[in-house]
Amino acid sequence: SQVRSRGYGIGNPIVGLPPNVKDAYYTQPGSPYNDASIRPLEFVGALDKDGGRKYKSDKWAERLMTVEEKEAVELEVKSELQS
């Protein structure tokens, strides 16, 4: 059973939905229309020193790296393994 209003600002007294509130469709957890479900985007780090090329996970950090940066990381990992 869905809790829907009967129109703009009317509500639905049969199911207990008061006037001027959001319909149940918009209050479901995870709905992009639910204000409580919208989380701000948080970045983990940035590849440039000036804050450019921000990334939100290690996977995106790797995707945003240039070929030269990837090779430098591989060389660094190899040198750490040899030490």
Side-chain angles (χ1 to χ4, degrees):
S1 65
Q2 298 174 338
V3 180
R4 298 284 171 100
S5 65
R6 294 171 36 221
Y8 180 77
I10 297 173
N12 191 342
I14 304 299
V15 295
L17 189 66
N20 300 317
V21 297
K22 291 186 175 182
D23 293 343
Y25 176 78
Y26 298 108
T27 57
Q28 293 295 318
S31 169
Y33 304 104
N34 184 356
D35 296 333
S37 293
I38 298 173
R39 293 179 294 164
L41 181 60
E42 297 177 8
F43 292 105
V44 176
L47 293 175
D48 296 332
K49 292 179 182 176
D50 62 353
R53 295 191 296 162
K54 296 179 183 175
Y55 56 90
K56 56 186 178 180
S57 67
D58 291 334
K59 177 174 77 172
W60 274 102
E62 186 176 335
R63 287 179 176 177
L64 293 172
M65 284 184 192
T66 62
V67 175
E68 293 82 15
E69 290 173 333
K70 288 181 184 180
E71 290 172 355
V73 170
E74 288 178 11
L75 287 174
E76 185 178 319
V77 170
K78 286 181 182 179
S79 66
E80 288 179 4
L81 290 176
Q82 292 176 355
S83 317

